[in-house]
Amino acid sequence: MKNRVLVIGGGHAGVEAAIASAAVGCRTTLVTPDVSRISLMSCNPAIGGIAKGTLVREIDGLGGVAAESADNTALQFRMLNTKKGPAVWGPRVQSDVNEYCLSQREKLEKAGVNIVQGLVTKLMGPRKRITGVVLGNGKEINAEAFVLATGTFLDGMLHRGKTAWPGGRRGDVSAVALEKDIRERMFHVKRFKTGTSPRVLRNSIDTSCLQKQISHDMQFRFSWASRGGIKNRETCWVTRTTGETEEIVKKSLKKSALYSGRIHSKGPRYCPSFEDKVTKFPDRTGHPIHIEPMGLSSRVMYLNGLSTSMPEEIQQEIVRSLPGFKNAVISAYGYTVEYTCFETGEFEKTLRLKETDNLYVSGQILGTSGYEEAAATGLLAGANAARRVLGLEERIPDRMNSYLGVMVDDLVTRGTDEPYRLFSSRSENRLNLRQDNADRRVFAFAVALGTLSQKKQTEYRAREEKYNQLRHELLSRRFKGKSIQDICKRPEVSPVDVSELIGYNASNIDDRETVTTLVLDLKYAGYVKRAEKRHKVRKRYSDVSLLHIIDYNVVDTITIEAREALNKRKPETLSDAEAIPAVRQADLDALVLYLMKHSVSRET
């Protein structure tokens, strides 16, 4: 049978792209250099986090597989950001790396995806319409549409101290020839970098002086297909760097690949190397280091927060300066990887490259960082590639309804001059973009995209019917003269409180999630309406002049990052400000409020 869609790369983006393409109805082939390393977590062994965890639930609502694999291979669960309201909580699991790889491969096989082990070295056909690919062994594979999901492998170069070698990650080859072919086709590209931390043998760590990281028993699941909440199967720990640790780095900076002048690429601002932490915060000590198992009873632990490109002997000094690590044995040293990605303006919101008819991109070559961002963009790219082949309309997610929409709109409209990381603050509608209601928010888009199976559609409609029945009952009830709806809006009132007030027995995980979503929908309804209104107002103010703002430091409601960028760029209008990567939607809302407060007219 003829391949309809071919996916290049077997990472988190590639897996979702291939399964989405197959779900839409196309025969799909995935090409990856090493079948045993499909969806390998090359950095920290975890899925989720603030905004990222919500994105994983959106992937599940769209028919993707990352959420189910995260549930099935979880070692420990934690809900991040709980000091703030539940709208911005971030679910996160520690994962068994090997189990996750196996789970993802099984899901590819179940979806009927043909897996080919090989390295793509060249695209075939003219720039406008690709016809096939050439593998390293000379084999050619033809298809009608293609998804590039190459992660950090495009001309990937690893750095540690003075040593540099080609590779997409430790132990893998670099797609040098494919990157050369892309450049020769006159696509505009740039270089980014990211890094990873040392891994240490578990039995060489003294945990008696470490802080135990406790799993949260909240009966949470990423996927609605999972029948129960995530169970704790492992222990994680936390230590902190010391003055000695920082001093070792300060005196050794010239030996770092990052600070010796050998690397010029931009790295992720919000996941900096340890060298960056020490340099940018010289007076601070006690940086937290999270010690995470690479698998159930794994002999190897990952030191999250200690990303470095120092030489091996310096990494050993750094690690052994940590409390509990006096006799630590490093099993794998950290490194920095430089890689090629596409420039802003090269791709559309469908994730198709503008100068082609049938070549789509996803994951880190879009400029993103993180497994979750890669998986979500892979799903969209794979689905749209299949829709293109079948002659169906390509689909674009709405930023007001999903974090996927926020991310795609940000990447295309404003671009990024450093690896893009998703945050709740990037959304102007974040009180509605919650993890608990992800399936409700993305359902219509999932059906339109064609990636949600009939079985999952039926299950969703059953949940929706239960939601509507409970909503009708809740809105008709009163307590001590007050409507339950008004009681829900009180900050101190939780979904559990409401269940008790109306006598609703949430005996299983489905019922608990239903009442939680309903109560939070009612609690935030007013805020969501205001967010939608602000969105419309901002569009109305898009042409307002900003030239009268000489110094953006006077606008104390915007982020420091945005102030720096605005003072540097000096945009003429709000629309120009929106195109600046460092300016988030929350910053734009703050600017609109500032303009309204100072009575700036549209003619100013």
Side-chain angles (χ1 to χ4, degrees):
M1 291 178 64
K2 183 179 180 182
N3 293 304
R4 306 300 300 272
V5 175
L6 188 140
V7 178
I8 303 168
H12 302 270
V15 168
E16 296 290 355
I19 290 175
S21 169
V24 171
C26 281
R27 174 175 166 77
T28 306
T29 291
L30 181 145
V31 181
T32 184
D34 188 342
V35 172
S36 69
R37 292 161 79 88
I38 283 174
S39 278
L40 180 67
M41 296 180 187
S42 52
C43 194
N44 59 302
I47 295 290
I50 299 171
K52 290 169 174 278
T54 303
L55 188 61
V56 175
R57 279 209 135 191
E58 289 182 6
I59 292 169
D60 187 64
L62 291 166
V65 297
E68 288 187 49
S69 290
D71 285 348
N72 295 338
T73 65
L75 300 176
Q76 186 184 86
F77 168 76
R78 287 178 67 82
M79 187 68 82
L80 309 183
N81 216 29
T82 54
K83 290 183 179 179
K84 297 184 178 180
V88 291
W89 287 0
R92 183 178 187 267
V93 295
Q94 296 298 142
S95 300
D96 185 303
V97 173
N98 290 332
E99 286 183 4
Y100 191 87
C101 289
L102 289 171
S103 177
Q104 292 289 84
R105 183 174 174 182
E106 288 172 0
K107 292 189 182 306
L108 283 168
E109 292 169 351
K110 184 178 178 181
V113 174
N114 179 39
I115 304 173
V116 174
Q117 183 163 291
L119 180 68
V120 173
T121 58
K122 187 179 178 62
L123 302 175
M124 297 164 55
R127 182 173 186 246
K128 185 68 175 175
R129 186 166 185 83
I130 307 302
T131 59
V133 300
V134 180
L135 304 187
N137 60 7
K139 181 181 178 180
E140 297 180 359
I141 304 178
N142 297 313
E144 295 174 66
F146 303 81
V147 179
L148 280 172
T150 51
T152 60
F153 283 59
L154 274 185
D155 195 20
M157 183 64 66
L158 308 182
H159 298 267
R160 184 187 298 135
K162 293 182 180 179
T163 306
W165 68 102
R169 59 191 169 208
R170 183 174 60 90
D172 285 310
V173 296
S174 174
V176 178
L178 179 59
E179 197 263 4
K180 181 181 178 183
D181 181 58
I182 287 171
R183 286 183 182 271
E184 288 177 348
R185 290 173 180 272
M186 302 301 289
F187 290 113
H188 296 95
V189 295
K190 57 189 173 186
R191 299 281 281 177
F192 276 166
K193 70 173 176 66
T194 189
T196 189
S197 302
R199 294 159 172 80
V200 176
L201 295 182
R202 186 195 293 246
N203 62 10
S204 69
I205 303 170
D206 176 12
T207 59
S208 65
C209 57
L210 303 182
Q211 173 190 344
K212 184 180 286 188
Q213 183 172 280
I214 301 171
S215 180
H216 294 159
D217 184 14
M218 299 178 67
Q219 286 296 295
F220 178 85
R221 58 183 179 180
F222 271 117
S223 174
W224 282 274
S226 300
R227 291 297 88 201
I230 293 166
K231 303 296 184 183
N232 182 54
R233 297 196 291 158
E234 260 289 6
T235 300
C236 299
W237 308 88
V238 181
T239 189
R240 289 184 176 272
T241 61
T242 64
E244 180 187 356
T245 315
E246 281 86 38
E247 201 54 43
I248 292 169
V249 173
K250 288 175 184 176
K251 71 180 184 182
S252 307
L253 276 177
K254 290 184 178 180
K255 297 180 181 180
S256 164
L258 294 176
Y259 284 83
S260 61
R262 285 188 291 279
I263 297 177
H264 301 286
S265 308
K266 291 291 290 292
R269 177 188 297 255
Y270 298 99
C271 190
S273 68
F274 189 63
E275 293 96 298
D276 279 336
K277 292 180 183 178
V278 172
T279 304
K280 294 176 181 177
F281 306 99
D283 299 326
R284 182 179 173 184
T285 189
H287 297 276
I289 307 297
H290 295 266
I291 303 143
E292 305 167 343
M294 297 296 291
L296 183 63
S297 303
S298 171
R299 58 196 291 268
V300 179
M301 306 290 277
Y302 184 83
L303 303 187
N304 191 358
L306 202 63
S307 173
T308 180
S309 64
M310 285 288 192
E312 293 180 3
E313 64 274 13
I314 304 300
Q315 289 193 37
Q316 182 162 300
E317 283 188 57
I318 291 171
V319 169
R320 291 190 172 180
S321 72
L322 301 173
F325 287 77
K326 183 179 179 180
N327 300 309
V329 177
I330 296 177
S331 62
Y333 292 91
Y335 57 84
T336 290
V337 55
E338 281 188 295
Y339 57 94
T340 294
C341 56
F342 286 94
E343 280 279 11
T344 303
E346 284 293 287
F347 48 89
E348 299 178 342
K349 291 182 181 180
T350 60
L351 300 187
R352 178 167 51 85
L353 287 173
K354 289 181 177 179
E355 298 302 319
T356 74
D357 286 335
N358 62 344
L359 182 58
Y360 293 76
V361 286
S362 62
Q364 284 178 282
I365 56 172
L366 289 171
T368 65
S369 68
Y371 313 138
E372 303 82 5
E373 291 93 335
T377 55
L379 189 154
L380 181 64
N384 275 333
R387 296 184 69 83
R388 184 81 168 181
V389 167
L390 297 173
L392 302 173
E393 180 186 357
E394 296 170 61
R395 301 294 181 175
I396 298 170
D398 183 353
R399 69 172 298 124
M400 293 297 285
N401 290 332
S402 67
Y403 275 119
L404 173 58
V406 169
M407 176 168 55
V408 170
D409 188 58
D410 281 352
L411 290 168
V412 174
T413 303
R414 62 185 56 192
T416 180
D417 51 14
E418 62 187 44
Y420 179 95
R421 182 174 178 178
L422 195 60
F423 288 104
S424 55
S425 59
R426 293 192 187 277
S427 171
E428 63 271 50
N429 198 25
R430 56 189 172 277
L431 294 184
N432 191 43
L433 304 192
R434 308 187 309 270
Q435 50 83 13
D436 65 273
N437 67 355
D439 62 330
R440 302 189 75 239
R441 290 187 285 101
V442 304
F443 178 72
F445 182 69
V447 173
L449 194 61
T451 50
L452 199 60
S453 68
Q454 286 299 320
K455 180 175 182 290
K456 287 192 173 183
Q457 288 185 43
T458 300
E459 290 171 349
Y460 166 81
R461 290 191 174 97
R463 290 196 302 272
E464 187 70 0
E465 183 178 352
K466 183 182 291 186
Y467 174 95
N468 289 328
Q469 289 173 351
L470 182 59
R471 187 175 190 276
H472 177 75
E473 181 181 350
L474 192 149
L475 293 179
S476 66
R477 302 283 293 274
R478 301 182 72 83
F479 180 78
K480 292 183 178 181
K482 296 284 186 180
S483 71
I484 299 296
Q485 181 176 8
D486 287 339
I487 292 173
C488 287
K489 295 177 182 178
R490 296 175 183 174
E492 72 278 7
V493 173
S494 71
V496 174
D497 297 330
V498 175
S499 294
E500 293 175 354
L501 283 178
I502 64 173
Y504 181 72
N505 181 24
S507 58
N508 57 55
I509 194 168
D510 291 332
D511 292 343
R512 285 193 294 273
E513 289 187 346
T514 299
V515 73
T516 295
T517 297
L518 175 55
V519 171
L520 294 182
D521 280 347
L522 294 172
K523 187 183 291 292
Y524 294 120
Y527 297 101
V528 172
K529 286 181 181 178
R530 285 199 286 273
E532 292 171 349
K533 183 178 179 180
R534 283 198 300 268
H535 181 71
K536 292 176 182 176
V537 169
R538 193 174 69 245
K539 294 298 181 185
R540 204 162 63 237
Y541 270 74
S542 61
D543 296 328
V544 169
S545 173
L546 297 176
L547 295 178
H548 66 287
I549 304 179
I550 306 302
D551 183 358
Y552 283 89
N553 287 312
V554 301
V555 190
D556 57 8
T557 50
I558 63 177
T559 62
I560 294 173
E561 183 185 0
R563 284 182 224 165
E564 291 174 354
L566 289 166
N567 279 328
K568 181 179 179 181
R569 300 281 190 93
K570 295 295 182 184
E572 292 187 10
T573 65
L574 196 69
S575 182
D576 294 335
E578 189 173 8
I580 300 174
V583 180
R584 304 179 190 178
Q585 295 298 320
D587 298 317
L588 294 169
D589 286 339
L591 277 174
V592 169
L593 291 174
Y594 177 85
L595 294 172
M596 294 173 70
K597 184 178 178 180
H598 291 78
S599 301
V600 178
S601 71
R602 290 179 58 83
E603 288 75 31
T604 299

